[in-house]
C-alpha cells in the first residue's frame, strides 16, 4: 500500500509537464521548492526542537550562490553542467549554516530563535547595501545555458531538474532521521543535558544538524533561482522566513511529510487564488491562527488520526464526525473570507467604500447585518468544531 | 590499600552570599557503595552536580582516578568513566526504551555523529542494547515509547542509561525517589546487580535503602561533612542521630 502510493506519486510528478501548461508547471516548481525548504526547516525543529526564525538566510544564500555560479558559467569562467549548479548554492548555504549554526546553537529556545532572526535580518540589511554581491534593488540576473542537448528553455525541462533534486533530497532528509546523528538529534530535542552525560558533544551535533538543514534550504533556494534566473535581496526577507514556519506548522511538524502538505498545499492555493484576492498572506495567517488554536499538531496529524478511525471503525459511525468537521471548516473559511475582504475594503478605501460584492451578493458596509453574519458564522464554526472534537474523542475511546 | 576513585579536596560552592558547600574533603574508594545522606538543603544534589561537571566549583579540586576533572564539560567527564542518573527522570520521552539505551551505547562504540547507515544497522550496538535491556528488566518493553512507560520503568531506564556508557563510577541521585516500597525494592535489587565491579556513589533519602545497600555512608548537613564511615558506625554516631536521623528512628 505504502509503495503503491509512492509509485503513484512518482508517476504523477513525472507527468506534470505532460499534463499541464507552463503556468501550472511553474506553480508545481514552486510547490516542490517550498516543500524541500519546509522539510529542511523541520529537520531542525522536529528533531532538535530548534525553532529557526531566520531560515531565509540559507534559502537566500542558496539563491545568490546559484545565480553567481550561473553568471560565471555564462562568462565562460566556469564549466559546470547547469543541473549541477544548485548544488553549489546548497554548499554555500551549508557553509553559512556551519558559521551561523555554530553561534546560534550555543543557545536553545527563545534565544536560539532570536539569534537566527538577527542573522537573517543582518544579511537582509547587507543585501540592500552591498551592490557587488547582491545587485541592489534590481538584484542579479543570469540565464540558463544549454547542456548535453538540453536547452532548458522551457519550464517543463527545468521542472525535471527541480524534481530530480527535490525527491532525492527529501529522501536524504528522511534517511538522516534514521542515522545515529538523526536519533541523537531527537534525543537532544528531548533532553540535551542527558545527552551530554552520555558522552556526546551536544553543541557539535546541533551545529551539524543546523548545517544539514541549511544545505537543503540552500538547495531549495538554488533550484528556485535556476528557474527564475533572477534574485534580489528580498529572498532574505522576513516573509520568506515566516512562510516556512507557517507552512511547516499548518502542515504538521510532527510527521515527516507534514511540512510538504503545508508548503505544497498553501503554495498551490496561493497561486490559484492570486487572481481572486490580493490578500493571500492574510488568509495564510488566519489559517495558522485557527490551526494553532484548534489543532496545533497540524493537518498531517489530523489526517493520520482520521485514517486510523476509518481503519478501525465501520464508516457509518464516522459520518457524523466528518460532517461536523466539514461544517466547521466551511464556517471558518466563510468567516475568514468575510472578515478579511470586508475589513480590507473598509480600511483601504475608507469612507468611499459603501458596498462589497461577495458570494454573489452585495453587502452594505454600514449595515450591522453584514458584520453580524461573520460573527454568527464563527460561533457556528466554533460550536461545530467543539462537537466534532467531542465526537472524535468518543470514537477514539471506542477504538482504544 | 584501596585507592580513592573520586576525591574531593577542599571544595566549596557559593550561590551569591549563600554557602551551599563549605570546604569539603571526601574520598570514595574503589569498589565501594557509598551513600551520601543529609537533610533537605544539605547540599547533596549540588555536590553531585559539581562532581559530574554541571555546576562549577567556587573553590577546591575534584579528582577522578587521580585525574583532575573540575572545569571539564560533562561529556568529557563521562568519557573518563563517570556515569550518572538524575533525581528527576531524564530520559528521551519521544524515543523507545530501546532507542534511549542505543543513544547511550552508540557513543562508546565511536558512532556519535555518523550519517551513513541507519542507527539500527550496527549489530554490535544492537546486541549490547539487548543485554542492557535485560539487565534493567525492560526486555519486554523494548519498543514502547519511553514517555509511555510507567514511573518505575522509567527509573529503570534511567539506570540503564547511566550504565550504557559502561562507567567505572556511577553517581545515582535519589534512584528510589517517589517510589512505593515494592518499586523501591525492585530498584535496590537492580542497583545491587549493576554495582558489581563498579564504584557507586548514591544520594538517597530512604534510610532502609541506604543501610541495606551501602558499605560506607557520608552525612552532610548545611554544606558540611559531619560524619563519614562504615554504615554500622554511622548508625551509632550520636551527632548524626541528632542532626539527621532523629533519635527515635535508630532506637
Amino acid at each position: 500500500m505504502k509503495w503503491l502510493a509512492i509509485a503513484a506519486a512518482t508517476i504523477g510528478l513525472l507527468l506534470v509537464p505532460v499534463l499541464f501548461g507552463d503556468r501550472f508547471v511553474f506553480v508545481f516548481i514552486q510547490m516542490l521548492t517550498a516543500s524541500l525548504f519546509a522539510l529542511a526547516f523541520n529537520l531542525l525543529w522536529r528533531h532538535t526542537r530548534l525553532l529557526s526564525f531566520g531560515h531565509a538566510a540559507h534559502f537566500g544564500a542558496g539563491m545568490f550562490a546559484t545565480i553567481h555560479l550561473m553568471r560565471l558559467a555564462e562568462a565562460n569562467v566556469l564549466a559546470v553542467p547547469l543541473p549541477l549548479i544548485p548544488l553549489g548554492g546548497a554548499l554555500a548555504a551549508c557553509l553559512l549554516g556551519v558559521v551561523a549554526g555554530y553561534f546560534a546553537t550555543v543557545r536553545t529556545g527563545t534565544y536560539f530563535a532570536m539569534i537566527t532572526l538577527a542573522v537573517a535580518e543582518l544579511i537582509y540589511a547587507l543585501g540592500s547595501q552591498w551592490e557587488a554581491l547582491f545587485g541592489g534593488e534590481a538584484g542579479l540576473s543570469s540565464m540558463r545555458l544549454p547542456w548535453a542537448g538540453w536547452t532548458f528553455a522551457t519550464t517543463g525541462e527545468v521542472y525535471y531538474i527541480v524534481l530530480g533534486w527535490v525527491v532525492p533530497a527529501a529522501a536524504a532528509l528522511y534517511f538522516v532521521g534514521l542515522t545515529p546523528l538523526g536519533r541523537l538529534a531527537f534525543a537532544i530535542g528531548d533532553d540535551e543535558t542527558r545527552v551530554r552525560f552520555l558522552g556526546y558533544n551536544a553543541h557539535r551535533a546541533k551545529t551539524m544538524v543546523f548545517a544539514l538543514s541549511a544545505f537543503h534550504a540552500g538547495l531549495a533556494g538554488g533550484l528556485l533561482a535556476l528557474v527564475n534566473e533572477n534574485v534580489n535581496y528580498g529572498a532574505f526577507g522576513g516573509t520568506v522566513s515566516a512562510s516556512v514556519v507557517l507552512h511547516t506548522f499548518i502542515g504538521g511538524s510532527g510527521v515527516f511529510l507534514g511540512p510538504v502538505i503545508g508548503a505544497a498545499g498553501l503554495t498551490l492555493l496561493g497561486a490559484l487564488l492570486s487572481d481572486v484576492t490580493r490578500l493571500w498572506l492574510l488568509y495564510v495567517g488566519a489559517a495558522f491562527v485557527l490551526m494553532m488554536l484548534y489543532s496545533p499538531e497540524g493537518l498531517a496529524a489530523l489526517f493520520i488520526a482520521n485514517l486510523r478511525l476509518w481503519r478501525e471503525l465501520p464508516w457509518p459511525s464516522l459520518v457524523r464526525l466528518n460532517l461536523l468537521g466539514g461544517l466547521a471548516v466551511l464556517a471558518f473559511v466563510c468567516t475568514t473570507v468575510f472578515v478579511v475582504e470586508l475589513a480590507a475594503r473598509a480600511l483601504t478605501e475608507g469612507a468611499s467604500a459603501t458596498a462589497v460584492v461577495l458570494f454573489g451578493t452585495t453587502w452594505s458596509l454600514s449595515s450591522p447585518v453584514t458584520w453580524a453574519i461573520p460573527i454568527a458564522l464563527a460561533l457556528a464554526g466554533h460550536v461545530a468544531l467543539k462537537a466534532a472534537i467531542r465526537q472524535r474523542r468518543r470514537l477514539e475511546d471506542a477504538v482504544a | 590499600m584501596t585507592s580513592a576513585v573520586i576525591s574531593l579536596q577542599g571544595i566549596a560552592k557559593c550561590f551569591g552570599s549563600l554557602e551551599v558547600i563549605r570546604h569539603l574533603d571526601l574520598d570514595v574508594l574503589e569498589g565501594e557503595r557509598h551513600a551520601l545522606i543529609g537533610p533537605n538543603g544539605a547540599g547533596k544534589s549540588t555536590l553531585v552536580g559539581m562532581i559530574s561537571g554541571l555546576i562549577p566549583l567556587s573553590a577546591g579540586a575534584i579528582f577522578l582516578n587521580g585525574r583532575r576533572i573540575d572545569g571539564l564539560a560533562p561529556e568529557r567527564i563521562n568519557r573518563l568513566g563517570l556515569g550518572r542518573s538524575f533525581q528527576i527522570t531524564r530520559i528521551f520521552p519521544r524515543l523507545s526504551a530501546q532507542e534511549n539505551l542505543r543513544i547511550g551505547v552508540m557513543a562508546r562504540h565511536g558512532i556519535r555523529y555518523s550519517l551513513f547507515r541507519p542507527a539500527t544497522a550496527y549489530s554490535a550496538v544492537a546486541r549490547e542494547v539487548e543485554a542492557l535491556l535485560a539487565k534493567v528488566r525492560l526486555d519486554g518493553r523494548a519498543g514502547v515509547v519511553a514517555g509511555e512507560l510507567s514511573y518505575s520503568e522509567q527509573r529503570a531506564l534511567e539506570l540503564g542509561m547511566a550504565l550504557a556508557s559502561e562507567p567505572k563510577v556511577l553517581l545515582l541521585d535519589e534512584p528510589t525517589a517517589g517510589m512505593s516500597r515494592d518499586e523501591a525494592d525492585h530498584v535496590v535489587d537492580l542497583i545491587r546487580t549493576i554495582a558489581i565491579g563498579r564504584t557507586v556513589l548514591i544520594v538517597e533519602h530512604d534510610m532502609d535503602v541506604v543501610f541495606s545497600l551501602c558499605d560506607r555512608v557520608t552525612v552532610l548537613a548545611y554544606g558540611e561533612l559531619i560524619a563519614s564511615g562504615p554504615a554500622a558506625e554511622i548508625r551509632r554516631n550520636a551527632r548524626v542521630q541528632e542532626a539527621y536521623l532523629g533519635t527515635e528512628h535508630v532506637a
Side-chain angles (χ1 to χ4, degrees):
Chain A
M1 184 65 194
K2 193 173 160 190
W3 292 108
L4 206 71
I6 291 174
T10 312
I11 294 171
L13 284 170
L14 283 171
L15 286 178
V16 164
V18 181
L19 298 175
F20 299 100
D22 269 4
R23 188 182 160 244
F24 220 67
V25 174
F26 181 66
V27 172
F28 262 96
I29 287 174
Q30 288 178 310
M31 287 161 68
L32 285 169
T33 54
S35 297
L36 181 58
F37 187 27
L39 282 173
F41 166 85
N42 203 34
L43 177 72
L44 209 49
W45 166 249
R46 180 176 170 228
H47 292 247
T48 330
R49 285 288 181 255
L50 291 172
L51 185 58
S52 168
F53 280 156
H55 243 44
H58 310 289
F59 189 76
M63 287 190 93
F64 273 100
T66 300
I67 285 286
H68 277 294
L69 289 172
M70 285 169 74
R71 285 161 71 98
L72 287 176
E74 223 183 317
N76 276 324
V77 180
L78 194 78
V80 177
L82 187 84
L84 289 182
I85 286 182
L87 192 62
L91 289 172
C94 183
L95 206 65
L96 175 66
V98 171
V99 179
Y102 181 84
F103 292 107
T105 58
V106 170
R107 296 272 169 266
T108 48
T110 318
Y111 303 107
F112 170 83
M114 291 301 121
I115 296 170
T116 54
L117 182 67
V119 168
E121 285 303 306
L122 183 83
I123 298 177
Y124 181 77
L126 269 180
S128 61
Q129 305 296 323
W130 194 351
E131 284 232 17
L133 194 63
F134 301 111
E137 290 289 332
L140 296 172
S141 298
S142 180
M143 54 182 284
R144 294 186 292 268
L145 295 181
W147 173 73
W150 293 67
T151 59
F152 301 116
T154 66
T155 315
E157 282 180 36
V158 197
Y159 171 85
Y160 286 113
I161 299 183
V162 175
L163 188 67
W165 276 111
V166 168
V167 172
L173 282 170
Y174 181 76
F175 182 76
V176 165
L178 305 177
T179 62
L181 181 67
R183 303 325 286 168
L184 179 63
F186 258 103
I188 290 174
D190 276 352
D191 194 330
E192 187 177 330
T193 306
R194 212 335 154 206
V195 164
R196 299 185 68 193
F197 281 103
L198 292 171
Y200 291 94
N201 183 337
H203 181 220
R204 180 173 160 185
K206 286 191 292 183
T207 307
M208 287 175 78
V209 177
F210 193 100
L212 272 173
S213 168
F215 177 92
H216 287 87
L219 181 61
L223 290 167
L224 195 61
L226 191 82
V227 177
N228 288 344
E229 301 180 300
N230 173 275
V231 55
N232 79 353
Y233 70 89
F236 297 117
T239 38
V240 181
S241 289
S243 70
V244 75
V245 177
L246 300 187
H247 287 169
T248 302
F249 284 92
I250 290 174
S253 63
V255 182
F256 178 75
L257 284 178
V260 174
I261 296 175
L266 289 170
T267 307
L268 178 66
L269 273 177
L272 291 177
L273 298 176
S274 64
D275 296 339
V276 187
T277 175
R278 291 172 294 139
L279 304 162
W280 173 238
L281 270 179
L282 266 176
Y283 285 106
V284 177
F288 180 71
V289 171
L290 288 172
M291 206 71 205
M292 291 303 108
L293 279 177
Y294 291 104
S295 181
E297 310 270 85
L299 286 172
L302 264 183
F303 177 74
I304 288 174
N306 213 17
L307 200 69
R308 193 170 299 144
L309 289 179
W310 280 105
R311 258 189 218 145
E312 302 277 341
L313 296 169
W315 69 267
S317 57
L318 290 163
V319 170
R320 192 181 138 97
L321 172 66
N322 283 277
L323 217 60
L324 282 169
L327 266 176
V329 171
L330 193 70
F332 279 130
V333 167
C334 291
T335 312
T336 314
V337 171
F338 235 103
V339 172
V340 168
E341 296 296 333
L342 290 184
R345 211 65 60 90
L347 289 174
T348 51
E349 292 169 23
S352 60
T354 47
V356 173
V357 180
L358 211 59
F359 301 119
T361 313
T362 307
W363 306 88
S364 159
L365 282 176
S366 53
S367 156
V369 178
T370 307
W371 295 97
I373 286 175
I375 294 172
L377 274 171
L379 279 175
H382 180 79
V383 170
L385 201 59
K386 284 280 166 197
I389 290 169
R390 266 198 308 276
Q391 175 72 5
R392 194 177 110 186
R393 223 165 270 157
R394 257 199 300 277
L395 291 174
E396 276 170 351
D397 286 347
V399 170
Chain B
M1 188 191 138
T2 40
S3 55
V5 171
I6 302 176
S7 181
L8 311 181
Q9 299 181 1
I11 64 166
K13 180 69 202 177
C14 311
F15 291 110
S17 62
L18 182 71
E19 265 189 306
V20 185
I21 303 281
R22 288 177 213 179
H23 196 83
L24 192 137
D25 295 303
L26 175 68
D27 281 347
V28 179
L29 304 180
E30 185 171 349
E32 72 178 357
R33 292 187 298 231
H34 195 126
L36 196 60
I37 64 173
N40 279 332
K44 305 180 300 283
S45 286
T46 308
L47 202 61
V48 170
M50 287 161 86
I51 298 171
S52 56
L54 203 58
I55 301 173
L57 276 62
S58 301
I62 301 176
F63 295 87
L64 180 70
N65 290 315
R67 192 179 160 165
R68 191 160 175 181
I69 57 166
D70 54 284
L72 295 183
E75 57 267 30
R76 293 284 306 282
I77 297 175
N78 175 271
R79 283 182 224 164
L80 290 172
L82 184 124
R84 70 163 291 182
S85 74
F86 291 84
Q87 187 181 349
I88 304 158
T89 313
R90 296 193 95 141
I91 51 171
F92 310 126
R94 289 185 294 165
L95 299 177
S96 70
Q98 190 177 31
E99 282 188 299
N100 268 268
L101 295 177
R102 190 182 294 128
I103 298 283
V105 174
M106 269 180 348
R108 220 181 58 260
H109 284 254
I111 30 177
R112 292 197 174 85
Y113 320 104
S114 172
L115 270 171
F116 301 104
R117 293 162 71 190
T120 47
Y122 298 88
S123 52
V125 173
R127 274 195 303 278
E128 258 186 59
V129 168
E130 217 140 284
L132 205 50
L133 275 168
K135 200 170 215 170
V136 294
R137 296 166 204 170
L138 285 174
D139 27 357
R141 310 279 281 162
V144 181
V145 174
E148 286 167 16
L149 292 171
S150 74
Y151 180 67
S152 67
E153 285 172 331
Q154 289 185 347
R155 294 304 291 178
L157 184 62
E158 167 95 43
L159 279 178
M161 281 169 59
L163 280 179
S165 41
E166 293 235 310
K168 282 288 171 210
V169 187
L170 258 181
L171 297 185
L172 304 177
D173 196 355
E174 298 199 22
T176 65
M179 286 190 179
S180 70
R181 191 73 263 159
D182 281 355
E183 288 172 331
D185 286 347
H186 173 83
V187 168
V188 168
D189 258 8
L190 211 59
I191 295 173
R192 215 170 259 134
T193 349
I194 63 184
I196 297 167
R198 291 196 170 86
T199 307
V200 185
L201 179 63
I202 306 175
V203 172
E204 187 51 72
H205 264 305
D206 187 328
M207 286 307 118
D208 293 336
V209 170
V210 169
F211 288 115
S212 75
L213 196 61
C214 297
D215 319 311
R216 284 220 303 160
V217 178
T218 292
V219 189
L220 278 187
Y222 304 107
E224 281 180 87
L225 193 153
I226 60 170
S228 185
E233 213 173 88
I234 294 296
R235 236 186 225 273
R236 289 193 301 269
N237 186 313
R239 225 182 133 195
V240 175
Q241 291 179 16
E242 190 189 327
Y244 182 51
L245 296 177
T247 324
E248 73 281 9
H249 181 96
V250 182

